[in-house]
Amino acid sequence: MLAQGLSLLALSFFAVHATILGKDAVLTIESTNYDFIIVGGGTAGNVVANRLTENPQFNVLLLEAGPSDAGVLEIQIPFLCTHTTPQTAWDWNYTTVPQPGLNGVAIAYPRGHVLGGSSSVNCLVYTRGSRADFDRYAAHTGDDGWSWNNMLPYFKKSERFTQPSDRHNTTGQFDPTVHGFSGLNSVSLPGAATGIDDIFSAAINELGSDFAFTTDTNTGNPLGFGWAQAVIDGPTASRSSSSTGYLAAEFLSRSNLHVLLNAQVSRIFSGSLHDSSDQSLLDAQKEIVLSAGSINTPQILLNSGIGDNATLQGIGIDPVIHLPAVGMNLSDHPIITLSWLVNSSTTYDDFNRNTTILNEEIIKWQTTREGPLANGIAQHIGFVRVPDNSSIFVNTVNPTSGPNSPHFEIFVSNFLLGDTPPDGSYLSISAIMLTPGSNSRGSVSLNASLPGSPPNPFQPPIIDAGLLLSATDVPLMREAVRNILRLASAPAWRGYIMSPANSSQPSYSASDTEIESYIRENSRSAYHVVGTASMSPEGGKVGVTNPDLTLKRVRGVRIVDASVLPYVPAGHTQATVYALAERASDLIKDANVE
Ligand SMILES: Cc1cc2nc3c(=O)[nH]c(=O)nc-3n(C[C@H](O)[C@H](O)[C@H](O)COP(=O)(O)OP(=O)(O)OC[C@H]3O[C@@H](n4cnc5c(N)ncnc54)[C@H](O)[C@@H]3O)c2cc1C
Ligand SMILES: *[C@@H]1O[C@H](CO)[C@@H](O)[C@H](O)[C@H]1NC(C)=O
Ligand SMILES: *[C@@H]1O[C@H](CO)[C@@H](O)[C@H](O)[C@H]1NC(C)=O
Ligand SMILES: *[C@@H]1O[C@H](CO)[C@@H](O)[C@H](O)[C@H]1NC(C)=O
Ligand SMILES: *[C@@H]1O[C@H](CO)[C@@H](O)[C@H](O)[C@H]1NC(C)=O
Ligand SMILES: *[C@@H]1O[C@H](CO)[C@@H](O)[C@H](O)[C@H]1NC(C)=O
Ligand SMILES: *[C@@H]1O[C@H](CO)[C@@H](O)[C@H](O)[C@H]1NC(C)=O
Ligand SMILES: *[C@@H]1O[C@H](CO)[C@@H](O)[C@H](O)[C@H]1NC(C)=O
Ligand SMILES: *[C@@H]1O[C@H](CO)[C@@H](O)[C@H](O)[C@H]1NC(C)=O
Ligand SMILES: *[C@@H]1O[C@H](CO)[C@@H](O)[C@H](O)[C@H]1NC(C)=O
């Protein structure tokens, strides 16, 4: 469709804010001609930028809409992850349309708008999903390269497992055989002991069965409970992001890597189709790589006339390529939290409500690179599969990706995860429902505000998260809440857990109906958005990219970010995005051998 070997990209950026990192020059781009232009300096984009510039023959431009992450304490300090979004200088500040599955509430939908993208603002939990998730990607695309066995080397390649900041003995707390130790994304176990660690261990021992201890939940078989891993660089007690790792100074100094900040791309087009009103044009000789994430990648495609012909025409955009799946099939995870007032003076609640105490802790963190701020939000984590003979699946398809894959995740926090009350010490246990049913699909579409004229590409798209729309969703959430209540009722917590933090929270003896109404009222997004530019088999009618992530029916454009995942994995999504971007980098290099 597009001219062979040549693709043009239009972008509009605010020149006064544009900065080229790693160079003295500011305000100008040295050239308008690159081999590769990567759109989005986020989780995936920075991996691709790093790996492509390993080849000195490739001249790469990386464009990021947001500012630099350098020196931002909220981003660097692991515990402060909940302070990085929503509605901050590093957020796109999106809101969904009212969600019918959540009693009609429109929810905040943060996305990183900063170098590192969502890896700079997420809550650091490191989970890979299950073997069956990846084997399903392989089956879905007909490309065995996406199977668990073939992706495990890419998980390891991206990873640098580090000693935790308190240098405690981690023998038996993780399985070294499934981890990488020389990659660019640091991972670590909790770096500071808490008052709940021994109680949690005793509680899961008391409960057994679903709560059985497992050394490591990242082996491909996540079932069981154990220590939470997070993208924390232990020795520096800092967040590891795609920016801190893949764009470290030694890589930014490569003369073939150019990083432009505050540069927001509006659309891409072929040589014959550009229009003189475009503010700035850049030319990619080999490929454009779209890595703008699950919201903005489909937005850029739709603005470019790549989407459903009729829908595009209806909002004043000339269709270029008819690909109806663009922006469709958005999939995400719902999350719910229960909290209790506890008998403790060592929870982390004060850090979230008293700036004097927080500032003292920040000084300790800066000087010692140790202490509670070195921890993320989860101290312990577990994954549970609902039995195949459960009544939930009698009349509906079990949405699991395959055997031994979990339906929900539980994680335990040494503070109240949510709006911190003015006083008291708390414990929170959260559940993420990992297997949304096939009706739980949302979308990203363009907002046609003025009839007849095309949407402004710099205005937010319309986002529907599609949460809790399938018959199995709320019942699986209910099982997850019952699991939380069982965990909290273990004898080990006696004398520690005092009372529910909120009287509307269901108790152990609550009815299914009570729990289900609590779920509809209180579930929110875990922000694990995928599927809006899904990969599908070569030549397949549905989908947006081929299994090698090339945009269907177009030459010279590839999509590398969470949007290509046809199903959300049974875990938090960043580890998958890193591994996906590592494999994509190899695919791009192989396709462009000189
Ligand atoms: C608040 C929050 C908490 C989360 N918590 C966790 C967690 O604990 N663990 C976990 O594993 N996952 C978590 N996730 C999910 C995870 O972070 C994402 O799935 C992953 O980072 C997505 O990577 P990506 O490369 O697809 O997109 P992103 O990392 O979002 O990168 C997209 C980049 O493109 C840029 N961009 C967008 N549009 C344009 C444009 N038009 N022009 C130029 N640049 C553009 C963006 O600014 C951004 O930098 C969380 C996400 C959020 C938002
Ligand atoms: C998001 O909101 C914050 C706070 O109002 C603001 O500083 C920031 O610029 C906004 N982000 C974007 C992308 O507009
Ligand atoms: C760590 O603990 C394991 C098992 O408890 C023990 O075998 C090992 O010697 C310890 N390592 C160090 C360095 O103390
Ligand atoms: C979609 O629009 C493009 C551009 O106008 C056209 O070439 C193509 O035939 C259309 N496809 C369909 C299925 O309508
Ligand atoms: C969404 O995904 C499903 C499952 O792969 C597929 O059958 C359907 O066609 C997709 N929808 C669109 C609009 O692409
Ligand atoms: C915050 O903590 C400090 C130090 O413990 C204390 O003196 C102060 O009263 C607290 N502030 C508030 C608003 O509670
Ligand atoms: C499911 O199977 C298990 C053992 O295989 C059995 O104990 C349990 O009662 C069954 N549950 C239902 C709902 O049939
Ligand atoms: C669409 O844009 C209009 C005009 O800017 C705005 O009022 C409206 O809230 C937007 N709709 C959505 C769903 O964001
Ligand atoms: C609080 O915990 C202490 C031990 O840490 C115990 O002595 C005390 O009885 C507990 N208080 C309550 C009300 O359970
Ligand atoms: C308790 O939860 C309900 C929602 O279920 C909420 O409206 C209310 O504000 C909460 N109360 C407190 C004290 O947080």
Side-chain angles (χ1 to χ4, degrees), residues 127 130 200 204-205 208-228 380-386 404-412 434 483 487 570:
T127 62
S130 71
F200 172 84
I204 62 170
N205 277 335
S209 75
D210 277 350
F211 296 91
F213 176 77
T214 184
T215 310
D216 198 316
T217 54
N218 281 323
T219 61
N221 179 6
L223 300 181
F225 281 71
W227 292 94
H380 307 280
I381 197 162
F383 292 87
V384 178
R385 182 177 175 86
V386 172
N404 302 317
S405 196
H407 290 98
F408 56 85
E409 173 196 312
I410 299 289
F411 67 87
V412 184
L434 301 167
N483 182 284
L487 177 55

Side-chain angles (χ1 to χ4, degrees), residues 140 324-325 328-329 441 542-543 567:
H140 181 92
M328 306 304 281
N329 264 342
R441 295 281 184 167
V542 295
Y567 299 91

